[in-house]
Amino acid sequence: MAEETFPFTSATLRSLRLQREWLEWEDRRRAAAQLCRSQRCPPSSLARLARPRRSCRDPAVHNALFSGNLQQVQALFQDEDAANMIVETVSNQLAWSPEQGFWILTPKAKQTVPLTIAAARGYTDCARHLIRQGAELDARVGGRAALHEACAQAHSDCVRLLLAFGAKANVLSEEGTTPLHLCTAPESLQCAKLLLEAGATVNVAARDSEMTPLHVAAARGLEGHVALYLAHGADVGLRTSQGETALNAACAGAEGPSDGRKRQAVARQLLEAGADARAAGRKRHTPLHNACANGCAALAELLLRHGACAGVSNAAGHTPMDCVLQAVQDTPDWEPEGLFGALLDYGAQPVHPEMLKLCANLPRALEVLLNAYPCVPSCDTWVEAVLPELWQEHEAFYGSALAMVNQPRRLQHLARLAVRAQLGNRCRQAADRLPLPQLLRDYLLLRVEGRIQ
């Protein structure tokens, strides 16, 4: 009657509907309780009646939770029903509109619970109050439990609080991940320690990706996390759904040459724990392929010292040397000569002469590659690619290379190549062990001199 008489807003109609559902539930509960008394049913029969959660879009409630105002939270959440209500938020997100042909702001509703909001923002006092009012510790409204969000935001005090009140350390999100999977920031190391002390499983795999916490930590270069997981028995041989180990993840996660040092420390830990430097994923992509594709010379050399193969091909037929050449195209403003030298020292074959054009504007890298040949090959392809201003700046090198095309190299260079061929993939190790003068050692390892002789 009221709905037909007065122009109610949608929010008011929703409140009326929820109130009606609540009253209907109370009627069913009382009827069931009376039936149980008359038939002497066990009290557990009442558990079959699932209590509906209250839903709230009240801005005052949102403001209290998201700002962490303890006094308002205490005033608003005074019983179990309030502590477990569903909090609905609406945010505008960009979405592609095929009809209009451009991106538009589209409102998207999200659901969560008060305890998850407090834990995600590190409001420990608010979280404690909600727990004492009966908030469900492992509720996954919206996909994640409060412990997931506390770990994702590295709030160790909230993690400690939740675990102390009995939150499950291995609670799964709707995506099939544990809180340990969400310890993805350096600041979350204490959260990971608390979880492991509470019985978190270190080798648990995510449902779809099959990534373990060790995979996640290695991919993000979290040296402290990797050491912690290894100390608690993390298995370095476990593979993801794509067949990749944690070592693959560490090398693939490097974001360019500057990020290689951090990944090198993680990779060293994994290798010392028994990780296989040759382990390839389903596409036969090895950790060395990943390190070379990201331009990480020190990381690649570490893998080579631990047995990685410099000449292995992946499913696409690409060798680690091919990956470096591709990286030169994608990121031309770095110095790949160290990476080329390491691969050649560990047995990689010289690049095809046609590929020299990719390094035409990197004179130091080009010199290393040219010195891997007994004779400088025809250079029509790469000479045309050199920028005029760069040729002028490095005229001594480019001029010497041009003069030596198809000309006999010095006997000293030929002797160097003969020694390198004899040593094969042990060239780098042998140079370090042989009692050679430093100048001769550098020459053997294709030291950059600034000219071709």
Side-chain angles (χ1 to χ4, degrees):
M1 175 178 175
E3 296 183 22
E4 299 174 353
T5 307
F6 301 100
F8 283 91
T9 64
S10 59
T12 304
L13 292 175
R14 179 177 176 81
S15 298
L16 290 172
R17 179 175 58 79
L18 291 173
Q19 185 177 8
R20 183 172 63 250
E21 291 177 357
W22 186 262
L23 293 174
E24 291 174 353
W25 179 87
E26 281 289 339
D27 292 339
R28 292 197 302 272
R29 184 190 66 80
R30 291 172 182 172
Q34 185 176 0
L35 182 62
C36 283
R37 284 194 296 271
S38 63
Q39 298 182 357
R40 296 182 180 181
C41 296
S44 59
S45 300
L46 292 176
R48 298 192 185 100
L49 289 175
R51 174 175 295 189
R53 289 179 181 267
R54 294 164 58 186
S55 183
C56 176
R57 291 185 179 180
D58 191 336
V61 174
H62 291 187
N63 181 67
L65 290 171
F66 286 100
S67 66
N69 190 316
L70 180 59
Q71 292 183 345
Q72 291 183 6
V73 169
Q74 290 173 336
L76 291 168
F77 301 94
Q78 298 183 359
D79 54 36
E80 181 179 348
D81 296 328
N84 288 298
M85 71 168 57
I86 295 177
V87 179
E88 295 187 357
T89 60
V90 178
S91 59
N92 289 324
Q93 297 185 358
L94 281 175
W96 177 256
S97 175
E99 296 82 8
Q100 301 182 39
F102 52 82
W103 294 86
I104 60 173
L105 284 175
T106 303
K108 184 175 181 180
K110 294 183 179 180
Q111 292 185 335
T112 184
V113 290
L115 182 59
T116 300
I117 296 174
R121 285 156 181 77
Y123 300 144
T124 310
D125 292 336
C126 293
R128 183 181 292 106
H129 172 76
L130 292 168
I131 293 172
R132 287 175 175 171
Q133 298 306 313
E136 296 180 18
L137 294 169
D138 300 317
R140 299 182 302 172
V141 177
R144 292 180 178 179
L147 194 55
H148 287 106
E149 296 294 348
C151 291
Q153 302 302 324
H155 295 308
S156 58
D157 288 341
C158 280
V159 171
R160 183 181 290 105
L161 174 72
L162 292 165
L163 292 172
F165 276 95
K168 297 177 182 178
N170 289 311
V171 59
L172 291 177
S173 69
E174 290 184 356
E175 297 176 346
T177 58
T178 67
L180 206 56
H181 283 98
L182 297 179
C183 294
T184 57
E187 300 79 16
S188 66
L189 181 59
Q190 183 60 30
C191 299
K193 290 179 179 179
L194 292 170
L195 289 169
L196 291 169
E197 290 172 1
T201 304
V202 72
N203 286 319
V204 63
R207 183 175 58 238
D208 296 329
S209 66
E210 297 183 26
M211 293 184 69
T212 67
L214 184 63
H215 283 97
V216 175
R220 294 179 176 267
L222 301 177
E223 186 178 356
H225 290 67
V226 170
L228 175 67
Y229 298 158
L230 291 175
H232 281 78
D235 187 348
V236 295
L238 293 179
R239 295 175 180 262
T240 67
S241 59
Q242 298 300 315
E244 295 194 342
T245 65
L247 185 59
N248 290 86
C251 297
E255 298 177 356
S258 61
D259 197 33
R261 296 182 184 87
K262 183 169 59 175
R263 309 293 168 162
Q264 185 182 358
V266 170
R268 183 179 291 108
Q269 291 185 70
L270 295 170
L271 290 165
E272 291 175 354
D276 184 2
R278 297 193 178 198
R282 290 185 177 177
K283 297 182 179 179
R284 303 210 306 271
H285 215 61
T286 67
L288 184 59
H289 283 95
N290 287 321
C292 289
N294 290 317
C296 301
L299 179 56
E301 187 173 346
L302 174 67
L303 295 168
L304 290 164
R305 288 202 307 268
H306 282 81
C309 181
V312 66
S313 298
N314 60 17
H318 298 152
T319 66
M321 186 71 81
D322 295 325
C323 292
V324 182
L325 292 171
Q326 182 61 51
V328 170
Q329 286 184 284
D330 297 338
T331 312
D333 56 345
W334 60 291
E335 301 175 351
E337 58 270 12
L339 196 43
F340 284 130
L343 290 172
L344 291 169
D345 289 343
Y346 281 90
Q349 295 298 310
V351 303
H352 192 280
E354 288 291 329
M355 295 294 102
L356 293 174
K357 61 184 178 182
L358 300 178
C359 299
N361 293 301
L362 299 169
R364 293 174 62 86
L366 183 61
E367 179 181 344
V368 171
L369 295 177
L370 290 177
N371 279 331
Y373 299 100
C375 179
V376 176
S378 177
C379 56
D380 292 341
T381 55
W382 65 260
V383 168
E384 297 175 356
V386 180
L387 297 173
E389 59 271 21
L390 197 63
W391 186 287
Q392 184 176 1
E393 181 181 354
H394 299 276
E395 186 175 359
F397 165 72
Y398 287 117
S400 66
L402 188 60
M404 292 301 296
V405 171
N406 294 326
Q407 298 296 316
R409 297 290 299 270
R410 295 170 58 184
L411 182 60
Q412 180 177 330
H413 172 70
L414 298 178
R416 168 170 63 177
L417 292 185
V419 173
R420 289 176 61 86
Q422 183 66 30
L423 295 175
N425 60 7
R426 297 174 290 118
C427 188
R428 183 68 64 96
Q429 298 98 313
D432 291 336
R433 296 177 183 177
L434 291 174
L436 299 174
Q438 187 64 38
L439 287 177
L440 185 55
R441 177 188 176 278
D442 291 343
Y443 183 76
L444 179 63
L445 299 179
L446 307 179
R447 178 194 59 195
V448 175
E449 297 179 326
R451 62 187 303 112
I452 297 294
Q453 302 181 24

